[in-house]
Amino acid sequence: MAGAVDGLFWFLAALSAALSVLIFGLLIAFAIRYRRRAPGERAGVARIPLGLELAWTFIPLGIVLAIFGWGAELFIRQLTPPPGAMTVYALGRQWMWEVQHLGGRREINELHVPTGRPVRLIMTSEDVIHSFFVPAFRVKRDVLPGRYTTLWFDAVRAGEYHLFCAEYCGTKHSAMIGRIVALPPEAFGTWLARDEGDAGQPLATAGERLFGALSCTTCHGRDDTRGPSLNGLFGRAVRLRDGSVTTADEGYLRESILQPAAKVSAGFRDEMPPYQGRLSELQVLQLIAYIQTLGAAAPP
Amino acid sequence: MTDADADAETDTGTATTAATVTTDAAGAKSYLNAGFGVTSWLLTRDHKRIGILFLVTLTLFFFVGGLFAVLMRIELLTPPGEIFQSETYNKLFTMHGVIMIFFFLIPSIPTVLGNFLIPIMIGARDLAFPRLNLLSWYVFVAGGLFTLAAVVAGGVDTGWTFYTPYSSVYANSRVVLAGVGVFISGFSSILTGLNFLTTIHTMRAPGLTWFRLPLFVWSIYATSIIMVLGTPVITITLVLLLLERTLQIGFFNPSLGGDPVLFQHLFWFYSHPAVYIMILPGMGVISELIAAFTRKRVVGYPFIAFSSIAIAVLGFLVWGHHMFVAGQSVYAGMVFSLLSFLVAVPSGIKVFNWTATLYKGSVSFQTPMLYAFGFIGLFTIGGLTGLFLAAMGLDIHVHDTYFVVAHFHYIMVGGMVMAFLGGIHFWWPKITGKLYPEGWGRLSALIIFVGFNLTFFPQFILGYLGMPRRYHAYPEELQILNVLSTAGASILGVGYVIPLIYLFWSMRYGRTAGANPWAAQGLEWQVPSPPPVDNFETRPTVTDEAYAYPMRGDPAVQEGMRKTTEMPP
Amino acid sequence: MNRDAHAHQFDTAEQQDAAARLGMWTFLLTEVLLFGGILTGYAIYRAEHGDAFTAGSARLDFWLGFINTAILIASSLTMALGVHAAEHRRHRLLMFFLAATMLLGAAFLGIKAIEYAHKIHERLLPGPLFAPAAPGARRLELFFSFYFALTGMHALHMLIGIAILAVLLVMVARRPDAPSIHRRIEVTGLYWHFVDIVWIFLFPLLYLLGPAGPAR
Amino acid sequence: MTGRLGYFACAAALLALLVATVAAARVDLGPLSTTVALAIAGVKAALVILYFMHVRRGPRLIWLYAAGGFLWLALLITLVWADVTTRAPNL
């Protein structure tokens, strides 16, 4: 992706340079050629044909429309993670990045990733708006409180890269920085398996325990009883009470845990208590990770 | 003897003298001599004096805002951020932004040159609502005092964008004082815009049809539309923000189901068009300067006039390009990106037409024209780099980096401030009746141009390399470019101080300017310098288009020069 | 008749009238967008949290809102008649209509105050004092944030309108033949009608969400 | 005195529309109910603008100003709406 972004950048740089040279060249040439030679000198009559006016109206229009298309196509690609991307969760908080791997390892202001495999981040903030910015990968996305945003990148070469917070977030904004460590796949595997004192349970395991502790099973069982069954829910299309259809992705699950009334599944009543304020963002992530594992075990 | 004087003596004879002579003969007092006490200024309803009041106030704010910029650049000389605490640095860039945007750039040309010139250019005695005009200044000063109080009381650290929930819940600085200051100053903007719109619609001199108006009037008209339609939205948004902060009434707070992105929508609905409030009047000034210093009608007059309106309208439809990475929907982003690109077209039209105006012109290089050249160059670069930011896929990378900082400084400082200084120099003889020293003028224009580019061009590179804005410490590999930028800033600072000194000096010691030192066309050059209180002895009647300069080989003017106006007997 | 008198910057009284009218319309343009900022937020949140907003609407006193709408329509009528009287130089009639408009405006504000008192008593004032217990209460609070912002801003405009009318009433009483009176009355009328229009939109937007409203 | 009669007629129409909007709200029109309520409000506002505020006999410029504010507000709401309603939950 970085190469594709740079392609557009340098194209635009070249275009800008060419246009600047054209305009500055004409300005200077005209200024010298038509400089005032005598104090009372008058200007000559010069008619600009309408065709020329139209040309410098519509040719730039065509050019900018083409650039729009290019930029938009690039944008869509940057927002669509390729299949098989590795999911990692990131929490922004004044003034640190907390990264949670599915397997349970947790990092502060660091993110270890394997080379050659796309990484998809699911991010949220616990306080103000932050922005996850890795210049080397040409990616950036704001991290908002109260909802998930995502971002993906592909570290081609092993190495260390800057991680910045790009949205002003308070006193230590410029200290909310870290590094992305891209390791070859084997080295990454070793790193992931190691415990440097930060490893908790795998997210899904913690989520399962929490699921039980919160008595979610009372309503969400193997079959649709009081609440819809969660088996095989993740990634599926869900029909809602008001007739609309949505996809059960991370954002939907988060909202349905914290504010169940917002989107109620068709055929069910709005009777689940909201968990907003009762669960930390990390706990929500654990529950989501657990619900995703329910997909595998679900009967067709 | 400078070119200007020579021109004045050889070429002013025809169109201008009639008006000058009649007014002088009547012995009318100039607006500067009409009264001398402090109250004669503080209670004046003369649009010219109010323009001067704004000029003095804005100059003060410009140098206060500039001081913050200098401190920031000093801090950024070294990577680790050793001079100020990060807290202090955050307040510096916030106060720099708030003061420069709300208390200098937005009011600058409209309230100073617009106030002074619009009534004269349309042949009126004053604006439609002189008392509202004075009120506008008092409101502005009140807003400014609140904001300065916020600085004195410890500063504000939210960034000029006041994004929630940081500003409404988390910030520990004087958000309320600064917010109230900006809120109040908004009313000044609304009153000014309202006054201009009404005046231009109802008070044009007989015969002064829309397409005979100077392009500066068109640009101020377009600017006023934005002021009137946009400012109320930020005003009310700030009210909601302040309510949320002081009374904890939720409007944007995510814990109530609110949406911080909504704040950004409402904020940019005004603040993006506000960019055009800053640049459109500058474009108007440049059109005037180019016409005067090439002695030609600006090429493509209707295109330039309508492109101002087009920019004002299109400018309202593009605000979402500040939010491509902010969690806005992809589809909305597409719409905003497409519309943003469309703004490039009317901007391009202006640049091409200005350039073409030089063709076969009689180009002279006095200070205002040097500023005009600087404007076109820097605006071109600023505009072209706008394409980078409107392209969504590329904006992801450069958004909120120094690339953006450089881009908008090229537009606002490179464009707007250049135009402001060019306009001040051009109309200085009219405003004060005195000539500024031409040599110093050219020198400082050159210093500013060089200093500006040295300050801000490296910032494009910094942004591309990934340096985020609002960082008071940065990685070591970026130091060289930052040092270059700081060096440029010190040159730029000198460039800004020189005109301040010689313009002051010229008020007392400058040589007396005639009514029309540039041999320029336009109603403002037909009244004495400085103009009398009521501008015109008798209402002028306009019979010709704007910029009716006599031309070589034009059969229409062979037998004599055209007159722009005829004074009734 | 000194009707032709005009300020020095104008050429004729007609020009001054046109400028005053256009100036006021421009001001109203800004007012539309002033309310528009809050309305945008309201529209967006209503789309997102429809149920909570309907529930909030059901807690408003529909009949008080209805009566207030009728009162404002009546006040617009008296204002229009006042402008008409001013045009025809009927000063006594003009004073009567100005007073009637003020009274109707005050009645509106009185009823609004009763509504506010009820809401505060029910602890529906958003902020730290907000205390309903039902699930989804946070969204309900959001509705009331907007209810108070919109109606509060409207009430503030009513207050300003009444104050202007009071000043005009005194002016007419003192100098009924002052040349600028008819212009001032006309321009104030525009303002008053605008404030009425705002309420015409606020009433259905706030009070008539879903069938719950008028059924009670 | 036709002017005065016109004002009374206008006020009567406004009150009738007020009753109509209440009646419409009593009927459950589903998602249409808001549209109907706003449409009636729009008609009422138009009556006030055209008759009470004399735009009907005003110059074209005043028509433009009267419509401009609402147009601009519609623009603001539409574009913000376009964002909020098309956000994929997870993007």
Side-chain angles (χ1 to χ4, degrees), chain B residues 8-23:
Chain B
E9 280 171 25
T10 49
D11 212 19
T12 38
T14 52
T16 55
T17 39
T20 318
V21 170
T22 42
T23 349

Side-chain angles (χ1 to χ4, degrees), chain B residues 141-226:
Chain B
V141 170
L145 286 179
F146 267 96
T147 307
L148 290 178
V151 179
V152 175
V156 55
D157 76 332
T158 59
W160 78 277
T161 46
F162 294 111
Y163 271 15
T164 57
Y166 182 69
S167 60
S168 60
V169 180
Y170 291 89
N172 279 319
S173 53
R174 302 291 176 181
V175 181
V176 174
L177 271 179
V180 169
V182 174
F183 165 79
I184 294 176
S185 77
F187 288 98
S188 168
S189 215
I190 289 175
L191 292 178
T192 301
L194 185 156
N195 221 336
F196 286 152
L197 283 180
T198 309
T199 306
I200 295 171
H201 266 294
T202 58
M203 298 177 73
R204 280 169 288 125
L208 189 52
T209 56
W210 284 88
F211 288 97
R212 288 177 180 171
L213 285 174
L215 286 164
F216 179 70
V217 179
W218 275 96
S219 76
I220 291 287
Y221 182 80
T223 308
S224 303
I225 293 178
I226 307 177

Side-chain angles (χ1 to χ4, degrees), chain B residues 125-130 194 198 201-203 228-229 232-233 236 247-251 256-259 262 534 539, chain C residues 8-11 15 19 22-23 26-27 29-30 33-34 37-38 41 45 49 127-128 138-139 141-142 145-146 153:
Chain B
R125 284 183 285 274
D126 205 326
L127 288 171
F129 310 116
L194 185 156
T198 309
H201 266 294
T202 58
M203 298 177 73
V228 163
L229 289 173
V233 176
I236 197 68
L247 304 178
Q248 289 141 50
I249 297 175
F251 292 103
L256 295 182
D259 183 358
L262 174 68
D534 276 340
R539 198 114 202 258
Chain C
H8 88 288
Q9 70 270 27
F10 295 105
D11 289 335
Q15 191 187 27
L22 189 63
T26 315
F27 177 69
L29 207 66
T30 71
L33 284 144
L34 191 79
I38 321 183
Y45 287 149
H49 317 300
R138 312 309 304 268
R139 265 96 176 136
E141 186 176 344
L142 202 58
S145 293
F146 279 90
M153 184 64 75

Side-chain angles (χ1 to χ4, degrees), chain B residues 215 287 298-308 349-350 353-354:
Chain B
L215 286 164
S287 297
V298 179
V299 163
Y301 174 100
F303 290 90
I304 293 193
F306 279 124
S307 66
S308 289
I349 288 176
K350 285 184 190 274
N353 277 304
W354 288 327

